[in-house]
Amino acid sequence: MTQSPPYNLENAEELARELRDKGIRDKAVLAAIARIPRDAFVDAALADMAYLDRPLPIESGQTISQPYTVARQTELLQLEPGDKVLEIGTGSGYQAAVLCEMGVEVHSIERYRELYQTAKETLSRLGYFPKLYHGDGYEGLPEEAPFDKILITAAPEVVPPKLKEQLRVGGRMVLPLGGRNRQQMTVVERVSETRYRTSTYGDYIFVPMKKGTE
Ligand code: SAH
């Protein structure tokens, strides 16, 4: 994917090196981070903090995830070029940009109309054109299913049943799973029509996945 100049990507390259030093191994993920101007996804007042490895506030009381978390979730998806990917929680659109850079087909759902709109504008300005939807991620996108990979960037208390159904046999879902205060990074693999295998990858804190739209 190409971006219009004059974005200065030195800071993004530095961030990618920091994430490598913190243990992110997937070179394609690091290369994606190094190509994306994260400051474009936050309010101008926060731009000078955009390349710190920390979450930042965005509209509607939500957050853009910490870069380490974005990189870790993307790495855990084990993307293959051409995969059809569903993201739940577009938020700022930054994670969607990372997925676009990975050469996959991106569908992303956001429950807040305001965020959906802003993300659409930001992404198209940068030359990214994922398919964006204003809707409730608990419903998924039955008309586009099945997906090779599903990435949830807000925390549900249980694995959303409709998203399990919309995962291709052989596909993977990555999500933070658990209650309000703390979640476990979880990978759910669909091993057959009826069987799923679950593994966990440490504790994280995400905003809750909420029902309905606003
Ligand atoms: N991936 C985002 C992270 C945003 S935080 C980024 O890169 O910036 C998680 C997002 O999930 C929030 O924007 C929140 O509004 C959204 N969300 C929460 N519940 C949702 C649901 N049921 N459907 C769709 N989006 C949801």
Side-chain angles (χ1 to χ4, degrees), residues 58 62-65 70 87-96 109-112 115 135-138 153-154 207-212:
I58 54 175
Q62 303 303 307
T63 53
I64 174 173
S65 302
V70 172
E87 178 193 20
I88 308 300
T90 314
S92 67
Y94 180 74
Q95 170 76 69
I109 309 177
E110 172 54 54
R111 68 183 295 285
Y112 287 98
L115 287 174
D136 180 356
Y138 280 103
T153 71
V207 297
M209 183 165 165
K210 292 197 281 187
K211 294 231 158 79

Side-chain angles (χ1 to χ4, degrees), residues 77 150 152 159 163-164 167 171-175 186-188:
L77 277 177
I150 298 178
I152 310 186
V159 185
L163 298 183
K164 283 172 79 172
L167 192 61
R172 291 164 79 81
M173 179 174 355
V174 174
L175 73 158
T186 304
V187 173
V188 177

Side-chain angles (χ1 to χ4, degrees), residues 27-188:
K27 291 209 167 57
V29 172
L30 294 170
I33 300 273
R35 282 195 296 267
I36 301 171
R38 189 169 182 258
D39 54 313
F41 294 86
V42 298
D43 193 88
L46 298 173
D48 57 347
M49 295 208 284
Y51 295 94
L52 301 179
D53 185 25
R54 45 168 290 184
L56 292 170
I58 54 175
E59 291 166 315
S60 307
Q62 303 303 307
T63 53
I64 174 173
S65 302
Q66 180 177 345
Y68 177 83
T69 304
V70 172
R72 187 69 184 127
Q73 285 199 290
T74 310
E75 181 170 75
L76 286 170
L77 277 177
Q78 297 183 2
L79 296 172
E80 314 267 359
D83 271 354
K84 186 169 187 176
V85 182
L86 174 63
E87 178 193 20
I88 308 300
T90 314
S92 67
Y94 180 74
Q95 170 76 69
V98 171
L99 295 173
C100 288
E101 284 285 358
M102 300 288 291
V104 297
E105 179 185 325
V106 184
H107 298 257
S108 182
I109 309 177
E110 172 54 54
R111 68 183 295 285
Y112 287 98
R113 179 172 290 282
E114 181 184 38
L115 287 174
Y116 156 80
Q117 269 303 341
T118 305
K120 203 180 181 74
E121 285 160 26
T122 308
L123 286 163
S124 59
R125 188 153 38 84
L126 294 174
Y128 298 111
F129 299 95
K131 299 216 172 72
L132 300 179
Y133 307 82
H134 173 233
D136 180 356
Y138 280 103
E139 301 298 321
L141 290 174
E143 66 281 14
E144 290 286 350
F147 293 94
D148 300 300
K149 308 286 160 65
I150 298 178
L151 172 58
I152 310 186
T153 71
E157 293 193 6
V158 298
V159 185
K162 290 182 182 170
L163 298 183
K164 283 172 79 172
E165 282 168 23
Q166 291 175 29
L167 192 61
R168 187 188 299 285
V169 174
R172 291 164 79 81
M173 179 174 355
V174 174
L175 73 158
L177 190 60
R180 289 228 156 204
N181 300 325
R182 196 177 58 141
Q183 300 93 35
Q184 280 202 307
M185 192 58 75
T186 304
V187 173
V188 177

